[in-house]
Every structure is written in C-alpha cells, then in structure tokens.
C-alpha cells in the first residue's frame, strides 16, 4: 500500500506541468547521527542474485542508421542564455531541481539511450545489455574505454556507489532516497565492468530498460558526509558525456567545455555530434532583453515558439537580409494532454449526452485561430505522440451547435431561461436543472482562452463560470475531485501512453490521484490492466488504440490543443544537417546528451568562416537570400487550413 | 426618526449653508463633484449606453426593447439560429433587406464580455469605423465597455465598503470616546493588535482558497478597514463629550443614545464628511490594486486593475494601458479635488496653511 501511495505521489509530482518542482526542493532536516543505511530495508526477493545469471541474452545495437551529419565542423563557442542563475552545481539535494538542472543532468551519459528515429535502444556508456528472467532486472556491460572527464575509468563501482549515494541521508533529498529504495531495489557489481539493476515491478521492455537506465556517480569524486550538501555546492562533477562544467562565474555565466580526447568521440551514434568546443550560458533575467542580445549577435539562437515572437518580432532587418534563419520544425514527442476534464461524479456530468453536448459547445478552434493566431493545433485524442501507439483514426468532436442541441435535448434540456441558458423542466413546468458549469484553472494567462470558450458556449445555451485559483490550490481542488470541469494539462513522457492513473476505476471517487474525471468503466478496467502488464508490443499497441477509443466514447475528456513543433531563430553561421533534426528533436539547438530519453541533441555546428563572412556582409549592409524553413516531415496531422495560413506568412 | 429629523434640521442650519456656499466657491472641487455625480448616474444606466443588445428593434411592425428584457433568440427576427441575437449583424441584415425593419444600437454597441475578432487577432487599435473607440484588449473585448462597467463596479464597491466600514468605525469610535475608561482602553489595544494583521496576506490567502466575489472582498476589506475611522471618531467624541451642551442634555435627562445620536454625532459630521472622498478614492484604488495583482474579482468581471495588468503585459498595444491609466488618474484626481474643497469648506478657520 505504501508503495502504491508513493507511486501515485511520484506520478503526481512528475505529471504536473506547472507544478512547482516539489520533490527536490525540500529542506527537511535530516538526523545525521543515524547510521546511513539503517533507515530502509529491502526484502530478499527484491535483491539480485549473487552470481551473474548464465543464460542471459546479451544485446546491442549497431544496425540503426546514424543521424548526425558527416559535414559537421568541430569547434567554436556556442552562446545561449538562461533566465536565472543556478543555485548549486550539485545534481541532487536542496535547490538542485531548478531551471539549470535541465542542463546539468544531461551532461552525463547513461548506459543506453533511445535512438531518436527508430526508438530502439542504442549503446552509450554500456556496450551490451540483457534482460533478466524476472522481467524487472537488467544487466549491463560497461564500455571498456569509458572515462570520466577527469580521466578516471568508469567502472561498476561507480554504479554501486550511485545507489549508495542516492540512498544516503547525507544528500538531504528524501525524494531520491525514497525512489532509490522503493523503485530501484538493488544494484550489484559482478566484475569490473559488469553490473545489474533490479526495479520494483516488471514493465514492458523499453519502459523497464528506461527505468533502470541510471547514470553512474563518480566514486572517486564525491565524499559523502554531513557536509556534502555544503561542500559540493559549487564543485561541478566530472562527466561521462561530451561536456563538463568548466567555468562558473557567479551571477554572470556558466561555461561548458568539451572534454579533451573524449572517450566516446568515435562511437557509432555519437560521432559528428556535440560539435562546439565550448557552450556558454549567459544569465539574462528577461526574455525581451535576451531577444535584444540575440539581435546583437551575442546569442546564436533564440526560441520562437511564442506566436508574438515568430510573427511580429522576428521580422527585423537581420531576418529580411537573410543573416538570421527561421526554422519551424515538427517533431513527434509525447504531447502534453491539454484538455477539459469533466468530473463524471458531478450531477449532470454523469450523463453522457451532456458530456457530448458540452464537447460540441466548446469552440477550441476559435481559440486556436484567434487567441493563439492559428499556431496551435487541435488535439484529437487524450494521449498522442507515442509513435505506433497513437490512435490517429479518432476525430475530435468539433464545435457544432446543432449536435449540441440534439444531445442536450436527449438529456431533457429543451428550453432556455432569461439569459439564454438551457434548462430542464419537470412536468409542472418548474426548472429543475440548468446547464451551468464551473471551469477550474490555475494559470491567469489562460483567461483569454477561457473567456472565448465561455462566450461561445452561451450560443449553445451553456453557462461556463470561470474559477481561477492559485496554481497549487486549483490542482489540489482537482485532486480532491471537487471540481466540475478542470482545465488542465498533464505532462506527457515515457514511451507509451498511460491509462491506469487516469482512467482505472481503482482511482475513481478516491481523492489524491490523477483520475480527475472519476472515470470508472467496468469494461475498461481489465484492458487497462492487460495493457500495463503486457510486454508484447503488438498487443500493447492494439490495446492502446482500443483504450483511446473508449476514452473518446466516454466523452469525459475534451482534448484542446497541442504544439507539436519547435520554432527557432538561428544566425546563419549555425549550420544544421540537411534533415535539420530527428523525429524526437524537442529543439534543434541543444547540446544535451539525451532529452526526454532520446539521444537527439548536438547535431548542429558552428561555421566560423561563415560567421566572418556574414558579419562582413552585415557591416556593408549587403543582403543574402532570406531563409525560413518549415519542415513537416514528422507532422502527424497535416491540415490544409494551416498550410494556407503559413503561405500567407 | 430622531436622527433623520436632526439631519434635516442640520441642512437648514446657517452654518451648513455657509459651508455649502464655500464649497461651491471652490470651482475645481465643485465641478469635479458635479462631473463625478453625473458619471455615477450615467453608469447606473450603462446598459443603455454601452451594450451589445439593441435599444429598440422594430421588426414586422412590432417593437422590441432587449436591453433589460429576456434574451431574444435570433429566430425571433427571422435569423437561422436560436441563441442570443447578434444585434450588430441584425442591423446590417435589416439594412441589406431594406424592408422597413430597423435596429437602434447604443452609442457603444459592445458589451464588456464578448470577443470581437472580426478584424484582427486579439487586440485591435481604437477606431471609429468599428466603434471600438478605445480599441479592444488581447481577448478582443471592447476597452471602453470594460472601462465603463469596471468603473461602475469599482464605484459601487467603494460606496458599499465606505458605508459598512463607516457604520462600524463610527459606532465603535463613538462608544470608545463616549464611555472612555476600561472600554476605551480595551478597544484601543484590540484595534492595535488587529491592525498588525497584514491585510494583503489575508486577501491572498482567501483568494487562493475560494474565488473572491464582490461580497467576500467587501467583507474582508470591512473587517480590516473599519479601524481607521475609530481613532478620529474617538477623539472628536471625547472632545464633544466635555462640552457644556452635552452636560445640559444629560441634565435634562437624555439617555446615552440620544446624547450621542442627536447631540454629539451632528457635531462631528465635519470630520466624517472630510474623510468620505478620500475613502472612496481609497476603495477604488484598493480594488484596482487587488485586481491588478490577481486577487480581486474573478475573471471575466470587467475591472480596471485587470485592464491595467493586461495593458502593462502587452505594451505593444498601448491603447489598453493608456485608456485605463488616464481613467484612473482623472477619477482619483477629481476625488482629491472634491476632498480638498470639502476640507476647506468645513474648516472652522478661514485662513489655513492651504491657501
């Protein structure tokens, strides 16, 4: 029970897009007098065997295509920015889960990574891996050449140390303490370069591999003691990835340097990647200021996902004269589940006709076209962006007042009251119910979107009241299942969709879990469990399609919009492969070893000759051919309207 | 009854006439007062001036007055939908049909909630053609309509707040001054303690737990706002209590209520009146500030604070922030002028440092 509880809690933490980073921020006092390994107990069946099992089927992958460009040029300094200065260089412990963690953590290689196009495992720090008989253990063979950036060898001891480290009270990080006892139960060294990891539950192959694919911690570097948190605050760790932190200029910038004679330079899936010699993160406290720095050529790239930037601001002389290129690149990453979640435990919303009627009264398209300038796309299904798991045959319920009227009439709502809101009357002609619902939400910035939905819903005879609460309060209201309609976005990650936490009846009408629709469908439960337990890819895909269809038919989720792309401005001296990126590139200009589990980063390079050339042209004011590239290779739902809109750019 | 007659008597009092004359002679205060009252009256009938519902629709020889009536669906006027009629389109439609039907729209044919995206994405510049005289905000809502309805709400809020906190403040302040002694001492300490509670935090906590509405905001602000008045009332009552006429009234056998209500209160009225304009300004400013910070009235209620926040967040659409900034400055300036004039008019000394 405790484990389930913890699981749910960790899901909540991980799933919340806008939640304040909760787990690693805690500053709980730890009683440092206690013996460090005494506080937990691992059941014997959760431990790995003493000897390496003999019948292991060792796997590797040297067949998948490479995705980096052989034209890449090594060298130069890549200039980018950060909005706040990191409070620490530690990867764990108090204050470590801030904004910069997203840069620090991917500096480390993990034993394997996921190929960004084929979505199969590829070797990184390990050369081979093998799944244990129990379905929840993996064994790895470390690459014999693997070195830390300070020259030390990477051995199985570094992995053993990792577990000891994560379980230590000295790191002052209860979330990791728990995770590495409850979810990762054992890690054992078999020889200098071989070790095994056991997780708590069996999962499908790729998910299982992902959950035990843990980075090592340098044993020779860390000194675990009561003072660790303080002593290692500003001591950057050595890394196994391409870059390590070289300079920390407090309050100004952090500079990464490429490790000299990096051990992985010639690895199959790594060569021609991570090309800049140095990467500098300059702190700029404000986005608009950063934009000016970019226009001044002090930053090499700038994100343009916000409509205002892409449409209005990215139109200066530098763009018109072609010194800066604009890229609009579609990818296929798990799409955050932005939707209206109807609480089916509430009166009226327990009626499927009302739910369908509501879906047809919600004018998402108008919000997308007008408030979001046509840049976002309608999200057709609850879960999307998981490759073959996506059920692309489902069409979303469109804004259609006739259909809405039909469904509401079926539910008994035929007449309207003095404000035009539909009401249900009893035989005596007395009003017994009114189509009025409250939407709970937590981000003031979304008010503009919701007021449009509210006004449009009036046409269908539906009153939507807006309840804007503080982000935390609104989410707790949803977890307590006290809302009627929740306007909420679940973040989406991993390699396959999740249904148990959102739709299994075990989570319905119980507070503090992610089933905010209180969905409880007897026919759905066994399929969900089967989907969770199955390790057969074909079967899982079939089940996912079926489950997604059931979610759609149930009508408790009204999916809203998605942003299935990245948009960036880059000075033309930043060059990309002809294919720009990969299927899972969240950004075209990141230097991270892995992002969202995929090894997709570091494909670009800096062309120093071109930089001189462009700056000379700019000085003379001579124009080049402007460059705007819209790459739809990985677009899932190409829509004609959107294409027309873009031609008008 | 007693109090009403005393107020009536007061209004005929030569002293009052003198004060009124002096107030009228201070031109900018007087005209500000006239203008503000005029605005207040106008805003009571804002639906007739700023509204998306038509004033009059003449259709097939029948007249309709949709402003204050039930919603009228489009099919009533021969349109093909059953939701609320879009009267601006209806007007256009009738014009094209040319069958003698007509629509009379208010001066500003928009309500403060509807999103007009007919010409552009989001915010639209001020324009005579589209009748968005002050443009639209980022959700396509008419800025002028939101200003007008926001003004009405803010002023209404301010007046309710003023009435409630004055009743409480005057009652308790008078009692403290009148009875003095232990009662006074205890209440003084209580008020001091009460005042140390940070009011803004209370509002923030309330706003994070429930969606504040008009009345919860009034209640919270009265809870923390009544204390200001007590100090002044306490001092004035103390002063008046020692006067001979109070002793005389007591000697004649008047009870406490009569002494305070009929004799002391009318003599402290000048203190109360001079504070009123500033309290109104304070009320408006407080609500605007709360809305600006996001702890005020819930969306989509039209409010100046919300407009101000929208405006400062999107400086690319300067008409939003300009409209509301000018409106706030003008209103608060007028209230200050009135306050100054009243203080001057009620000042027993003719020559003050203000001259």
């Amino acid at each position: 029970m405790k484990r389930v509880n913890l699981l749910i809690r960790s899901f909540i933490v991980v799933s919340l897009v806008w939640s304040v980073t909760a787990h690693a921020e805690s500053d709980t006092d730890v009683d440092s007098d206690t013996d460090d390994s005494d506080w937990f107990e691992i059941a014997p069946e959760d431990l790995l065997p003493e000897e390496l099992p003999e019948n292991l089927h060792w796997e590797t992958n040297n067949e998948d295509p490479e995705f980096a460009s052989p034209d890449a040029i090594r060298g130069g300094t890549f200039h980018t920015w950060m909005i706040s200065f990191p409070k620490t260089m530690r990867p764990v412990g108090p204050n470590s889960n801030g904004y910069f963690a997203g840069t620090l953590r991917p500096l480390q290689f993990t034993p394997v990574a996921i190929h960004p196009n084929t979505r199969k495992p590829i070797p990184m720090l390990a050369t081979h891996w093998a799944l244990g008989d129990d379905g929840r253990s993996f064994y790895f063979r470390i690459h014999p050449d693997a070195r830390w950036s300070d020259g030390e060898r990477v051995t199985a001891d570094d992995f053993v140390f990792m577990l000891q480290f994560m379980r230590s009270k000295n790191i002052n990080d209860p979330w990791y303490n728990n995770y590495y006892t409850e979810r990762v139960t054992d890690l054992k060294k078999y020889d200098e370069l071989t070790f095994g990891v056991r997780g708590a539950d069996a999962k499908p192959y790729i998910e299982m591999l992902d959950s035990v694919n843990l980075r090592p911690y340098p044993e020779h570097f860390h000194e675990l003691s009561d003072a660790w948190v303080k002593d290692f605050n500003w001591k950057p760790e050595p890394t196994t990835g391409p870059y390590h932190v070289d300079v920390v200029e407090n309050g100004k910038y952090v500079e990464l340097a490429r490790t000299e004679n990096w051990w992985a330079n010639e690895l199959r899936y790594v060569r021609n990647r991570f090309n800049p010699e140095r990467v500098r993160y300059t702190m700029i406290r404000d986005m608009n200021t950063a934009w000016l720095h970019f226009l001044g050529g002090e930053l090499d790239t700038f994100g343009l996902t916000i409509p205002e930037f892409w449409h209005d601001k990215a139109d200066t002389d530098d763009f018109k004269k072609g010194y800066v290129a604009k890229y609009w690149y579609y990818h296929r990453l798990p799409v955050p589940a932005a939707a209206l979640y109807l609480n089916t435990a509430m009166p009226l919303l327990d009626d499927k006709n009302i739910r369908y009627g509501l879906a047809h009264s919600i004018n998402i398209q108008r919000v997308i076209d007008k408030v979001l300038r046509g840049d976002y796309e309608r999200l057709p299904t609850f879960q999307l962006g998981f490759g073959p798991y996506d059920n692309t045959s489902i069409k979303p319920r469109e804004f259609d007042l006739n259909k809405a009227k039909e469904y509401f009439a079926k539910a008994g709502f035929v007449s309207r009251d003095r404000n035009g809101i539909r009401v249900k009357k009893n035989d005596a002609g007395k009003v017994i119910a009114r189509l009025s619902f409250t939407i709970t939400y937590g981000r003031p910035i979304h008010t503009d979107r919701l007021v449009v939905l509210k006004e449009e819903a009036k046409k269908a005879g539906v009153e939507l009241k807006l309840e804007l609460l503080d982000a935390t309060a609104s989410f707790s209201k949803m977890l307590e299942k006290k809302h009627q309609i929740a306007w909420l976005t679940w973040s989406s990650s991993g390699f396959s969709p999740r249904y148990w936490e959102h739709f299994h009846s075990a989570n319905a009408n119980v507070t503090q879990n992610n089933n905010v629709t209180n969905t409880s469908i007897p026919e759905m439960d066994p399929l969900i469990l089967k989907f969770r337990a199955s390790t057969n890819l074909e079967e899982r895909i079939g089940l996912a399609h079926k489950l997604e269809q059931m979610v759609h038919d149930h009508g408790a989720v009204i999916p809203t919009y998605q942003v299935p792309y990245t948009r960036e401005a880059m000075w033309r001296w930043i060059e990309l492969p002809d294919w720009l990126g990969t299927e899972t590139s969240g950004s075209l200009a990141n230097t991270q070893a892995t992002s969202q589990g995929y090894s997709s980063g570091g494909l670009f390079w800096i062309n120093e000759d071109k930089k001189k050339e462009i700056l000379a042209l700019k000085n003379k004011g001579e124009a080049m051919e402007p460059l705007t590239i819209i790459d739809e290779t990985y677009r899932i739902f190409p829509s004609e309207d959107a294409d027309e809109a873009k031609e008008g750019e | 009854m007693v109090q009403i007659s005393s107020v009536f008597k007061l209004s005929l009092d030569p002293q009052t006439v003198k004060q009124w004359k002096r107030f009228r002679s201070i031109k900018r205060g007087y005209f500000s007062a006239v203008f503000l009252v005029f605005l207040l009256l106008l805003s009571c009938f804002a639906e007739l001036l700023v509204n998306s519902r038509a004033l009059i629709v003449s259709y097939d020889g029948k007249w309709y007055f949709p402003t204050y009536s039930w919603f009228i669906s489009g099919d009533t006027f021969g349109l093909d939908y059953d939701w609320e009629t879009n009267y601006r389109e209806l007007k256009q439609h009738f014009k094209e049909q040319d069958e003698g039907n007509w629509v009379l729209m208010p001066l500003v044919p928009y309500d403060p909630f509807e999103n007009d995206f007919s010409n552009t994405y989001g915010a639209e510049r001020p324009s005579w053609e589209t009748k968005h005289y002050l443009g639209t905000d980022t959700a396509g809502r008419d800025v002028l309509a939101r200003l007008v309805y926001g003004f009405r709400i803010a002023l209404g809020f301010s007046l309710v707040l003023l009435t409630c906190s004055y009743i409480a403040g005057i009652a308790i302040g008078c009692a403290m001054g009148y009875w003095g002694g232990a009662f006074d001492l205890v209440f003084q300490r209580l008020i001091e303690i009460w005042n140390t509670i940070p009011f803004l935090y209370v509002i923030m906590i309330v706003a994070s737990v429930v969606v504040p509405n008009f009345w919860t905001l009034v209640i919270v602000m009265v809870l923390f706002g009544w204390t200001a008045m007590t100090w002044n009332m306490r001092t004035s009552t103390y002063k008046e209590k020692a006067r001979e006429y109070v002793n005389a009234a007591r000697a004649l056998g008047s009870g406490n209520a009569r002494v305070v209500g009929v004799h002391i209160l009318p003599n402290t009225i000048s203190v109360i009146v001079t504070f009123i304009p500033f309290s109104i300004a304070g009320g408006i400013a407080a609500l605007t500030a709360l809305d600006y910070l996001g702890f005020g009235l819930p969306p989509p209620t039209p409010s100046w604070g919300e407009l101000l926040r929208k405006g400062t967040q999107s400086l690319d659409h300067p008409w939003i922030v300009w409209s509301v900034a000018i409106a706030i400055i003008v209103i608060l300036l007028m209230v200050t002028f009135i306050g100054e004039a009243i203080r001057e008019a009620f000042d027993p000394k003719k020559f003050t440092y203000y001259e």
Side-chain angles (χ1 to χ4, degrees):
Chain A
M1 200 54 216
K2 198 175 154 201
R3 188 174 286 168
V4 172
N5 240 333
L6 184 89
L7 177 68
I8 290 168
R9 233 171 280 158
S10 59
F11 265 141
I12 290 164
V13 171
V14 175
S15 307
L16 234 189
V17 167
W18 33 255
S19 83
V20 189
T21 48
H23 64 270
E25 292 286 357
S26 85
D27 287 310
T28 348
D29 281 330
V30 174
D31 185 7
S32 45
D33 293 336
T34 51
D35 187 342
D36 217 30
S37 59
D38 246 13
W39 62 277
F40 60 87
E41 211 177 317
I42 304 289
E45 68 270 19
D46 283 337
L47 295 175
L48 283 161
E50 288 301 320
E51 295 294 324
L52 189 67
E54 286 187 356
N55 54 349
L56 290 176
H57 171 61
W58 289 97
E59 293 171 83
T60 188
N61 179 354
N62 292 312
E63 293 83 43
D64 283 356
E66 289 180 50
F67 44 90
S69 169
D71 304 334
I73 308 166
R74 185 76 57 78
T77 302
F78 179 64
H79 296 269
T80 182
W81 67 291
M82 53 188 172
I83 202 150
S84 62
F85 203 81
K87 288 182 180 165
T88 176
M89 286 291 139
R90 280 181 280 104
V92 294
N95 290 326
S96 66
N97 208 23
Y99 173 81
F100 204 65
T103 304
L104 274 183
R105 290 179 188 158
L107 294 180
Q108 303 288 353
F109 262 20
T110 45
V112 298
I114 305 299
H115 192 286
N117 289 328
T118 65
R119 302 186 187 227
K120 286 185 193 154
I122 48 176
M124 285 281 152
L125 209 48
T127 54
H128 295 80
W129 56 93
L131 179 64
D133 282 343
D134 55 2
R136 58 185 176 119
S137 312
F138 261 96
Y139 300 88
F140 297 95
R141 278 198 194 133
I142 304 167
H143 198 293
D145 295 342
R147 294 282 184 286
W148 293 99
S149 51
D150 57 7
E152 291 281 330
R153 272 188 87 187
V154 179
T155 65
D157 290 322
D158 292 318
F159 284 90
V160 173
F161 175 71
M162 177 268 293
L163 196 67
Q164 185 198 338
F165 180 83
M166 286 304 199
R167 286 174 174 178
S168 166
K169 291 287 181 189
N170 288 330
I171 64 170
N172 199 352
D173 203 327
W175 194 88
Y176 281 113
N177 288 164
N178 275 322
Y179 189 86
Y180 281 85
T181 43
E182 305 257 346
R183 306 307 304 155
V184 179
T185 59
D186 197 16
L187 194 152
K188 205 158 262 152
K189 168 184 174 182
Y190 292 105
D191 64 40
E192 205 54 23
L193 295 176
T194 313
F195 68 97
V197 194
R198 176 170 273 185
D201 304 301
K203 293 179 192 170
Y205 186 89
I206 200 108
E207 262 105 355
M208 194 66 233
L209 180 57
D210 185 54
S211 67
V212 295
N213 185 28
L214 307 166
R215 57 154 288 207
Y217 274 76
E219 191 187 9
H220 64 275
F221 175 76
H222 289 288
E223 289 155 34
L224 272 177
S225 71
D226 290 352
W228 181 82
V229 167
K230 218 171 93 219
D231 289 352
F232 285 77
N233 232 356
W234 296 105
K235 273 192 204 164
E237 283 182 307
T239 63
T240 50
Y243 297 100
H244 59 269
V245 178
D246 193 36
V247 187
V248 180
E249 190 65 43
N250 213 333
K252 289 183 186 145
Y253 63 87
V254 176
E255 198 164 285
L256 312 181
R258 205 172 191 284
T259 302
E260 237 175 289
N261 300 320
W262 182 43
W263 68 274
N265 268 337
E266 289 309 317
L267 279 192
R268 179 176 168 87
Y269 300 108
V270 179
R271 57 187 164 216
N272 299 319
R273 289 171 67 190
F274 311 111
N275 300 301
E277 276 305 327
R278 301 184 82 79
V279 181
R280 179 185 283 211
Y281 291 84
T282 309
M283 185 185 70
I284 305 172
R285 286 210 178 272
D286 172 74
M287 190 158 180
N288 287 307
T289 317
W291 174 246
L292 297 180
H293 281 266
F294 171 72
L295 292 181
E298 293 157 44
L299 302 176
D300 292 317
T301 67
F302 198 88
L304 297 179
T305 307
I306 298 175
E308 193 193 351
F309 275 89
W310 176 269
H311 293 286
D312 299 336
K313 296 202 171 178
D315 196 30
T316 64
D317 259 7
D318 293 324
F319 287 89
K320 286 177 189 150
K321 289 187 175 166
Y323 311 137
V324 183
K326 281 163 92 174
Y327 297 95
W328 181 330
Y329 185 79
Y330 284 83
H331 49 59
R332 286 187 185 171
L333 284 165
V335 177
L340 288 159
Y341 296 90
L342 316 183
N343 186 350
T344 58
M346 287 285 169
L348 297 183
L349 293 174
D350 53 2
D351 183 341
K352 196 187 264 186
N353 286 315
I354 302 254
R355 297 199 295 268
Y356 283 8
L358 266 176
H360 287 299
S361 318
I362 298 289
N363 199 346
I364 303 290
Q365 202 54 50
R366 186 167 163 90
V367 173
I368 293 174
D369 289 345
K370 293 301 182 178
V371 184
L372 304 167
R373 306 184 69 155
D375 283 3
Y376 289 21
E377 286 175 24
R378 179 76 204 258
L379 179 65
T381 50
F382 170 67
Q383 304 251 280
L384 194 71
F386 293 98
Y389 289 99
D390 296 343
N391 185 340
T392 48
S393 66
I394 296 173
K395 297 274 167 286
R397 296 191 178 86
E398 299 291 347
F399 181 66
D400 184 329
L401 293 166
N402 287 325
K403 282 189 188 161
K405 191 176 171 181
E406 236 171 76
Y407 283 118
F408 288 142
K410 270 192 214 168
F413 289 81
V414 266
S415 45
R416 290 179 183 241
D417 71 358
R418 71 166 290 156
N419 297 315
I421 305 305
R422 278 180 206 281
V423 289
K424 188 177 184 173
K425 292 179 175 170
N426 63 10
D427 296 337
K430 221 182 131 213
V431 175
I432 50 169
R434 193 164 176 267
L435 281 187
S436 171
F437 303 98
T438 303
I439 298 185
T440 303
Y441 67 111
R443 298 191 67 185
I445 192 176
H446 288 166
T447 302
D448 274 1
R449 303 171 193 181
L450 283 159
V451 293
V452 173
L453 295 185
K454 178 184 164 81
E455 291 302 306
E456 291 292 292
K458 272 188 199 165
K459 292 181 181 169
V462 176
E463 180 183 55
L464 296 177
K465 293 186 206 143
L466 309 185
E467 184 184 48
L468 170 62
L469 295 174
D470 152 80
T472 322
S474 92
F475 192 57
S476 16
K477 183 166 185 177
M478 294 165 193
L479 292 188
E480 280 160 26
K481 319 281 177 86
K482 286 183 180 156
H483 62 288
Q484 286 188 305
I485 303 178
W487 169 271
L488 175 67
T489 304
W490 294 107
S491 78
S492 208
S493 60
F495 304 99
S496 64
R498 290 186 183 142
Y499 294 101
W500 184 82
E501 52 179 300
H502 295 292
F503 300 108
H504 194 275
S505 63
N507 296 324
N509 305 310
V510 184
T511 60
Q512 304 305 327
N513 61 53
N514 293 353
N515 189 348
V516 290
T517 56
N518 276 320
T519 298
S520 162
I521 309 172
E523 308 89 75
M524 202 166 165
D525 287 352
L527 295 186
I528 291 177
L529 293 179
K530 208 167 159 194
F531 175 73
R532 283 229 308 178
S534 169
T535 47
N536 178 334
L537 186 67
E538 291 296 309
E539 185 187 45
R540 274 173 65 81
I541 290 172
L543 283 168
H545 288 191
K546 226 183 246 171
L547 285 167
E548 197 61 54
Q549 184 66 46
M550 289 173 109
V551 170
H552 177 76
D553 293 341
H554 189 51
V557 180
I558 307 172
T560 53
Y561 46 65
Q562 52 166 333
V563 189
Y565 54 75
T566 171
R567 288 197 297 213
E568 279 154 68
M570 294 189 195
W571 284 93
R572 292 283 284 278
W573 55 75
I574 300 294
E575 296 187 329
L576 293 166
D578 295 339
W579 48 91
L580 304 183
T582 65
E583 191 174 324
T584 50
S585 293
S587 155
L588 297 180
N590 83 46
T591 52
Q592 300 175 344
T594 50
S595 45
Q596 301 204 32
Y598 298 100
S599 179
S600 59
L603 299 189
F604 70 96
W605 64 92
I606 303 167
N607 189 333
E608 296 282 356
D609 297 338
K610 207 160 172 190
K611 185 166 182 175
K612 281 178 206 134
E613 213 175 287
I614 288 168
L615 290 178
L617 278 180
K618 189 169 147 70
N619 273 340
K620 281 185 265 171
E622 279 173 36
M624 297 164 61
E625 193 61 36
L627 180 67
T628 299
I629 295 182
I630 298 171
D631 186 307
E632 304 195 343
T633 317
Y634 298 112
R635 191 172 184 180
I636 303 178
F637 298 101
S639 86
E640 285 165 31
D641 293 351
D643 290 342
E644 278 165 27
K646 261 175 239 153
E647 274 157 27
E649 285 293 330
Chain B
M1 279 320 280
V2 176
Q3 289 195 353
I4 292 173
S5 69
S6 79
V7 170
F8 185 62
K9 246 186 278 162
L10 194 82
S11 66
L12 295 174
D13 193 323
Q15 172 76 14
T16 313
V17 174
K18 216 160 127 197
Q19 284 166 344
W20 172 245
K21 270 190 185 150
R22 201 158 355 138
F23 177 72
R24 279 192 65 166
S25 73
I26 303 163
K27 291 289 180 243
R28 66 179 187 200
Y30 176 64
F31 286 120
S32 296
V34 171
F35 189 56
L36 202 65
V37 171
F38 175 68
L39 280 186
L40 183 63
L41 289 177
L42 268 191
S43 75
C44 290
F45 303 100
E47 281 84 0
L48 295 171
L49 299 166
V50 183
N51 201 348
S52 59
R53 285 187 173 181
L55 295 172
I56 310 168
V57 180
S58 163
Y59 177 67
D60 284 351
K62 237 177 114 184
W63 283 27
Y64 298 82
F65 302 93
T67 312
Y68 293 107
S69 75
W70 275 56
F71 98 107
I72 303 174
S73 63
D75 38 26
T76 319
F77 304 116
L79 300 169
D80 57 352
Y81 53 85
D82 66 346
W83 57 87
E84 167 114 52
T85 312
N86 183 330
Y87 294 96
R88 293 188 304 274
E89 280 171 22
L90 186 71
K91 187 174 179 173
Q92 202 59 37
H93 179 68
F94 283 171
K95 218 178 241 171
E96 280 158 19
Q97 271 189 336
D98 200 21
E99 289 171 2
N101 298 324
W102 52 268
V103 177
L104 179 65
M105 290 300 288
L107 275 178
V108 181
Y110 297 97
D111 76 19
F113 301 110
E114 61 180 328
N115 319 97
D116 182 19
F117 290 123
S118 46
N119 302 304
T120 176
Y121 305 108
E124 189 187 332
R125 321 186 147 273
S127 134
W128 281 97
E129 264 161 55
T130 59
K131 300 203 175 170
H132 288 299
Y133 301 113
L134 294 179
T136 64
D137 71 5
T138 49
R141 296 174 296 195
D142 190 75
V143 172
L144 182 54
R146 289 187 75 75
L147 267 186
V148 169
Y149 286 91
F151 171 70
R152 183 162 84 175
I153 292 171
L155 207 59
F157 178 83
S158 198
L159 290 174
V160 174
L161 181 66
L162 175 121
T163 316
C164 298
S165 50
Y166 272 35
I167 289 175
I170 290 172
I172 292 172
C174 269
M176 283 162 70
Y178 187 73
W179 279 312
F183 180 82
D184 183 28
L185 211 66
V186 169
F187 255 88
Q188 277 188 52
R189 299 294 89 76
L190 277 182
I191 290 172
E192 277 161 10
I193 295 167
W194 191 243
N195 271 346
T196 56
I197 300 176
F199 149 77
L200 194 61
Y201 284 128
V202 176
I203 291 267
M204 281 162 75
I205 292 165
V206 170
S208 69
V209 181
V210 294
V211 177
N213 62 29
F214 190 89
W215 293 108
T216 47
L217 280 183
V218 166
I219 290 170
V220 174
M221 291 191 65
V222 168
L223 271 181
F224 291 91
W226 61 271
T227 52
M229 205 59 203
T230 53
W231 298 121
N232 301 300
M233 285 313 294
R234 176 179 165 273
T235 337
S236 322
T237 316
Y238 249 127
K239 208 172 81 189
E240 296 299 324
K241 197 180 92 177
R243 294 272 170 92
E244 311 263 294
Y245 72 89
V246 174
N247 277 334
R250 258 209 210 123
L252 286 171
S254 307
N256 286 341
R258 188 175 169 86
V259 170
V260 173
V262 180
H263 297 286
I264 296 184
L265 256 189
N267 282 300
T268 56
I269 203 87
S270 64
V271 177
I272 300 170
V273 170
T274 39
F275 274 110
I276 285 178
F278 300 104
S279 297
I280 293 181
I284 295 178
L287 184 67
T288 305
L290 284 179
D291 283 335
Y292 179 79
L293 296 172
F295 302 116
L297 298 168
T301 318
S303 99
W304 286 13
E306 187 246 19
L307 264 181
L308 197 59
R309 186 171 46 164
K310 270 226 155 91
T312 47
Q313 277 169 0
S314 52
L315 291 171
D316 297 342
H317 314 121
W319 52 91
I320 306 174
V321 70
W322 276 117
S323 305
V324 61
I326 290 174
I328 291 176
I329 292 169
V330 167
I331 295 293
L332 295 188
L333 205 63
M334 282 199 308
V335 175
T336 314
F337 286 160
I338 298 170
E340 238 176 44
I342 290 181
R343 187 163 54 190
E344 193 107 2
F346 276 79
D347 197 335
K349 283 179 279 169
K350 256 224 148 143
F351 301 100
T352 70
Y353 295 111
Y354 292 104
E355 298 265 2

